[in-house]
Amino acid sequence: MSGSHFSSLPGPTASVAGAPPGPLPAPPPCGVPAFPPLRVRGGSGHRLRRAVWRQRRSMAAGLALTAAALAVSGLGGGGGGQDADAARGPAPGRASPPVRLVSAPVRIADAATVRLLRPGDRVDVVASEGAGAKARVLAEGARVEQVPAASAEGASGAGALIVLAVPRTTAADLAGAGISGGFAVILC
């Protein structure tokens, strides 16, 4: 085929027979019907917010009912079932009640060691029956409540008296052991 055959086809700038040169005319307009305006009542965002609000209220009501049921049954730790708890004994997962501390006066054999102590310090109290006897720890981590003033302790050969906060059973052990021997303290 020769190249002249393709040159006779109309191109974008070529004119169609009988049409003026230039761009092609647009098609005649067709009518687009008139639509009434759309009106959205409340919108989907409002419905979504309302649904979330209802869900939150129902969740809060469910949590309140659960808390009330736990309080009544005594499982939540808030009273109500204390008689049943006492009959069963302590549960394995529950913490024991806090230990009540008492003040116990203890005479430390070395008055110079007592000068190192301040109220609030933690000490271990060690007792020894004599020079050759094995020492034993009577109280671990006891909190020092009071120490004597420097002038009150003087150069006494009997040591110095301090006051410790310990459980009642430990206070009884300290009082019994204090009769027969002297005590020493270890700062914790």
Side-chain angles (χ1 to χ4, degrees), residues 150-165:
S151 61
E153 90 184 47
S156 171
L161 188 68
I162 64 173
V163 179
L164 301 175

Side-chain angles (χ1 to χ4, degrees), residues 84-100:
D85 289 342
R88 286 192 304 257
R94 289 193 184 173
S96 60
V99 176
R100 186 166 177 217

Side-chain angles (χ1 to χ4, degrees), residues 19 37 44 56-57 64 68 76 96 138 147 160 163:
S44 62
R56 284 182 183 165
R57 282 189 60 159
S96 60
L138 293 177
V147 293
V163 179

Side-chain angles (χ1 to χ4, degrees), residues 47-187:
R47 276 183 284 186
L48 179 63
R49 279 192 299 267
R50 183 180 249 169
V52 169
W53 180 72
R54 283 186 192 138
Q55 184 179 13
R56 284 182 183 165
R57 282 189 60 159
S58 63
M59 180 73 77
L63 287 173
L65 286 174
T66 304
L70 285 174
V72 168
S73 69
L75 295 176
Q82 293 176 353
D83 295 336
D85 289 342
R88 286 192 304 257
R94 289 193 184 173
S96 60
V99 176
R100 186 166 177 217
L101 300 178
V102 295
S103 297
V106 177
R107 184 162 298 278
I108 305 301
D110 185 13
T113 305
V114 174
R115 281 183 276 177
L116 300 173
L117 300 177
R118 302 285 176 260
D121 287 346
R122 297 281 180 171
V123 295
D124 292 345
V125 180
V126 180
S128 176
E129 300 299 324
K134 186 175 180 179
R136 59 190 170 112
V137 177
L138 293 177
E140 293 182 6
R143 184 173 44 87
V144 177
E145 286 187 338
Q146 293 179 354
V147 293
S151 61
E153 90 184 47
S156 171
L161 188 68
I162 64 173
V163 179
L164 301 175
V166 294
R168 187 176 295 275
T169 56
T170 305
D173 292 342
L174 289 171
I179 295 171
S180 61
F183 293 121
V185 292
I186 301 170
L187 283 163

Side-chain angles (χ1 to χ4, degrees), residues 16-39:
V16 178
L24 295 174
C30 60
V32 176
F35 291 104
L38 295 175
R39 299 205 194 287

